[in-house]
Amino acid sequence: RAIVLGKGPSLERIREVEIFDGDVIACVNESALVKGLPRVDVALAVDPPVVKALERLREGALLLADPGCAELSQRATALADLWDSSLRPNSGCSPALLRLLRRVGVSGLVMVGFDAFDAPTRGATYAGTILALGVKDRGNGDFAAINEMIRAELAGWDVPITWLHREPKPRVAKGG
């Protein structure tokens, strides 16, 4: 099973996900930099400042990048075959990561931080922890095109998929 971390508001709820030793924690761009993760196994980044930050701050994670960004890092591995004419490197990070996870045969997906998948909007659609990292151009975005690429990657993939933003938030007793 893979726990796939995007950058939407439900990323703040990552502690609600029970993560097992055999799970793969796979991160899109700067979601790999969020504090409180038990580990990061795979991080795929396409933004040059994020590739550089991941190289400095995330020891042990397999750092992947599109060919244009991999040259910026001594640790990043370029996976050119993840990108084709259906994925643009500047907006195909999430679908490329899903493509990789499908190839390695994960048994299920827990999608965390993909809130804009159901309601693509423009505006503040990022988790506060992502915005606090200070990467440029993270306050706006049109996710309709990315969502179509994600749908295409998920089509016909017969594994259970949980979308954390669709799950009810746990109730907390008053005063607790």
Side-chain angles (χ1 to χ4, degrees), residues 34-157:
V34 171
K35 292 180 180 161
L37 298 177
R39 67 182 187 281
V40 173
D41 299 308
V42 178
L44 195 148
V46 296
D47 298 322
V50 177
V51 172
K52 290 178 182 179
L54 287 173
E55 182 177 55
R56 285 191 325 271
L57 301 174
R58 271 293 173 198
E59 292 294 320
L62 174 60
L63 176 56
L64 308 171
D66 73 276
C69 283
E71 65 193 35
L72 302 171
S73 164
Q74 296 195 339
R75 280 189 43 223
T77 301
L79 288 179
D81 68 327
L82 286 181
W83 277 269
D84 58 25
S85 61
S86 68
L87 298 181
R88 299 185 317 272
N90 65 336
S91 64
C93 195
S94 299
L97 185 57
L98 291 170
R99 185 175 287 181
L100 173 67
L101 294 170
R102 186 176 194 162
R103 285 182 186 175
V104 300
V106 298
S107 61
L109 298 169
V110 178
M111 305 292 284
V112 180
F114 287 87
D115 307 65
F117 186 75
D118 289 329
T121 59
R122 297 189 73 80
T125 54
Y126 290 94
T129 52
I130 295 297
L131 294 173
L133 294 171
V135 177
K136 284 185 166 187
D137 301 323
R138 289 299 188 252
N140 56 21
D142 181 359
F143 297 94
I146 296 170
N147 291 342
E148 286 307 311
M149 290 184 274
I150 290 172
R151 276 187 194 86
E153 291 303 320
L154 295 176
W157 192 4

